[in-house]
Amino acid sequence: TMAGLMERHLAAFDAPILVPVPLHRWRIWRRGYNQSALIAAALARGREFEFGRDLLQRTKATPPLMHMGPAERRRVVRGAFRVDPRQM
């Protein structure tokens, strides 16, 4: 459902690479799935979009961001992700 709502926004991009935000291993273990990976996969399916499932790696755990403002979110996630060197 969410992928269907987001699909119209992809028209502005030429052959985008859809990269899901990786969860920390404990969060994925508790939740059992990564919603950003499910959405990106659904958007890429049947289209000419590349799905970069493993392009990003999470380097540190972060607390939930839902009650933080934009500046605090940037501070908390700074350094939390990196491009997987094997994918370059």
Side-chain angles (χ1 to χ4, degrees):
T1 302
M2 186 59 76
L5 295 170
M6 297 172 78
E7 186 173 20
R8 65 188 168 101
H9 298 287
L10 293 176
F13 299 96
D14 294 326
I17 298 174
L18 302 172
V19 181
V21 176
L23 296 176
H24 187 268
R25 67 179 168 264
W26 293 111
R27 193 166 293 163
I28 190 106
W29 183 76
R30 275 194 312 260
R31 190 180 291 170
Y33 65 94
N34 179 344
Q35 69 268 22
S36 71
L38 295 173
I39 293 167
L43 285 168
R45 197 174 301 124
R47 294 170 186 84
E48 295 183 19
F49 303 151
E50 188 175 339
F51 179 40
R53 176 187 306 271
D54 299 317
L55 189 61
L56 285 181
Q57 293 178 330
R58 182 174 280 273
T59 59
K60 68 178 184 178
T62 56
L65 306 175
M66 72 175 92
H67 298 294
M68 295 180 194
E72 181 71 4
R73 287 177 185 222
R74 279 191 298 275
R75 186 189 68 72
V76 169
V77 300
R78 186 173 291 123
F81 304 98
R82 72 175 183 174
V83 175
D84 184 343
R86 295 171 298 184
Q87 302 293 324
M88 296 174 77

